[in-house]
Amino acid sequence: MAKKKIMKRSWAEPFKIKVVEPIKMTTREHREKALKVAGYNTFLLKSEDVYIDLLTDSGTNAMSDYQWAGMMLGDEAYAGSKNFYYLWDNVKKYYGMPYFVPTHQGRAAEHIISKILITPGDYVPGNMYFTTTKLHQELAGATFVDVIIDEAHDTENEHPFKGNIDLQKLKDLVKKVGAKKIAYISMAGPVNMAGGQPFSMKNLKAVGKYAKENKIPLWFDATRAVENAYFIKEREKGYGKASIQKILHEMCSYFDGLWVSAKKDLMVNIGGILATKSKKVFQAARNMVVVYEGLHTYGGLAGRDMEAMARGMEEMVDFDTIRARIGQVEYAGKRLEEFGIPFVKPVGGHAIFLDAKKFLSHLKQDLFPAQTLAAEIYADSGVRSMERGIVSAGRNKKTGEHNYPKLELVRLTFPRRVYTQAHIDVTVESIASVYENRKSFKGLRMTYEPKYLRFFQGRFERI
Ligand code: F0G
């Protein structure tokens, strides 16, 4: 009998499991009931009714023993906690920004920076959008303009850097409204809503140069910057031998400032960062943080939270850690491909994005195909995912009509260091089973719509 030869050596996680948390396996009947109570919105499910939770990678990470040990060292002083100073040192070290204020999570930093940099009537160009980012820009009076490359809207285009900014689109906007009307350029990497797609260093450099020439501030949503650094290392010429820490540092060097939802890269459960090179912005932020978050040395966080963030930063740049994280997402992609399931290519850093327009091609977009798909995957197996399509895109501010985004996706997001390969296999098989039954789904009708970020609390019923 022919024996198998080793083709390529596998990677494995650079950790072992010390503590386990039991999860509940439920019946179809139980899940149908739970889904109805939740208005067919996976955000409204009780977590105890969920088997494998791929709703988000935000704050759902497993901390290391090093981080947990640090929690015991929390200095819960109201002012000047030592954990704050340690965290600040690490912000300087890993992101290269001299000034920093902590916030309780990412959107709090977005709120503060939008208020500081935006004058009502301004424009904010960005590489696609993120829900909370765009909302805070709009609440501060700006108009958001998408300047991502066209390839980002094509789920099958295998461009290695679909998060890139289209410089021509940016120039056209500046020409139309004038550089003075651009509050700042908002650049995220990887781009969550495009499928976790990175930008290249080459593109960033070009955008940075243009921004400088035109005196437009360039700001970085660095929430998953380490994943972007990993993709640069893997895909961009000249970076193969550079460390993740070095690439991250170079990326940040082109920006005037950045914000981070620490609930992602930093592998903690809560926390946010606002950091900048500008003393003026820093002073304004430090003042505003006391209004909305707490004193500028804790920003809505406990000392122990800041300690866990500082330690998480040291772990996030470890190559084996980030390779195993993205390797798991890539494994899920390979398995889904075996069943011919349509999803965004190439596989992103934090998630697989199923293409609901292709998956449920018989449903029109106003029947909420992605919302339907997320609900049916839950009903099938208890795997929780999230809609990223017409519901997330909200309504047009002026006309009140639905925004009809090109991408109608369901996101399966992988928490860091939480699930095993067997969990991934179970998930893939459930999606394959829903795919086999896809013609039987008729879509959803919206029965309740909140004013802001409707995807969180909107309610639906089956048609
Ligand atoms: N920016 C990006 C790119 C994000 O993905 C998020 C959050 C935020 C900002 C806001 O940070 O949640 O700490 O207030 N994304 C989560 C997600 C919610 O599931 O993708 P936050």
Side-chain angles (χ1 to χ4, degrees), residues 56 105-107 110 130 132 192 221 223-224 261 264 411:
T56 176
Q105 61 181 75
R107 72 198 67 180
E110 290 171 343
F130 185 69
T132 59
N192 192 344
D221 180 344
T223 292
R224 296 182 185 81
S261 164
K264 283 81 166 178
R411 191 181 75 171

Side-chain angles (χ1 to χ4, degrees), residues 99-361:
Y99 302 117
F100 153 68
V101 288
T103 60
H104 82 279
Q105 61 181 75
R107 72 198 67 180
E110 290 171 343
H111 171 213
I112 290 168
I113 201 58
S114 303
K115 277 215 154 133
I116 293 172
L117 297 180
I118 293 167
T119 306
D122 280 351
Y123 291 81
V124 177
N127 50 348
M128 206 169 265
Y129 73 101
F130 185 69
T131 51
T132 59
T133 318
K134 178 167 165 247
L135 179 65
H136 281 295
Q137 290 160 351
E138 288 173 351
L139 288 174
T143 301
F144 174 84
V145 182
D146 184 7
V147 293
I148 203 165
I149 57 170
D150 287 338
E151 285 87 340
H153 294 284
D154 174 358
T155 58
E156 277 174 31
N157 191 305
E158 301 248 6
H159 192 296
F161 293 106
K162 283 164 99 171
N164 280 353
I165 282 183
D166 185 330
L167 211 58
Q168 196 52 50
K169 285 186 193 169
L170 181 61
K171 286 178 184 169
D172 290 347
L173 176 71
V174 173
K175 203 166 154 200
K176 195 168 133 204
V177 304
K180 285 209 170 71
K181 278 277 181 201
I182 310 279
Y184 59 100
I185 300 164
S186 176
M187 193 163 178
V191 180
N192 192 344
M193 303 296 274
Q197 305 294 330
F199 58 69
S200 69
M201 197 74 88
K202 189 173 163 209
N203 182 253
L204 169 58
K205 271 190 211 172
V207 172
K209 184 165 173 276
Y210 178 76
K212 211 169 230 150
E213 283 164 5
N214 290 277
K215 298 195 174 65
I216 303 169
L218 178 59
W219 278 72
F220 187 17
D221 180 344
T223 292
R224 296 182 185 81
V226 171
E227 292 170 12
N228 203 98
Y230 176 83
F231 284 125
I232 286 176
K233 183 175 167 72
E234 293 296 298
R235 298 177 185 170
E236 192 162 350
K237 221 175 127 208
Y239 289 93
K241 289 206 167 73
S243 69
I244 297 292
Q245 186 173 340
K246 196 154 169 258
I247 297 171
L248 176 64
H249 223 268
E250 184 185 337
M251 281 160 58
C252 295
S253 73
Y254 301 113
F255 290 94
D256 296 292
L258 54 85
W259 65 89
V260 182
S261 164
K263 302 167 77 172
K264 283 81 166 178
D265 272 355
L266 280 65
M267 295 179 280
V268 291
N269 305 118
I270 196 74
I273 289 168
L274 180 56
T276 177
K277 293 176 189 162
S278 159
K279 194 163 183 187
K280 212 172 126 200
V281 172
F282 168 61
Q283 275 166 342
R286 210 152 80 129
N287 196 216
M288 207 174 277
V289 90
V290 288
V291 179
Y292 294 108
E293 295 287 288
L295 195 72
H296 58 273
T297 62
Y298 75 86
L301 295 165
R304 56 179 174 270
D305 298 326
M306 292 189 284
E307 185 69 21
M309 283 166 70
R311 292 179 178 221
M313 240 179 240
E314 291 160 13
E315 293 178 354
M316 75 181 182
V317 294
D318 172 59
F319 177 73
D320 292 324
T321 298
I322 185 66
R323 180 180 58 181
R325 190 268 184 294
I326 294 180
Q328 186 173 56
V329 185
E330 284 169 349
Y331 172 78
K334 274 205 192 97
R335 296 262 8 241
L336 285 168
E337 215 150 43
E338 290 168 16
F339 294 98
I341 289 160
F343 61 90
V344 176
K345 312 261 171 63
V347 167
H350 65 309
I352 297 274
F353 289 72
L354 302 176
D355 186 340
K357 268 191 191 167
K358 294 207 174 91
F359 199 115
L360 298 176
S361 56

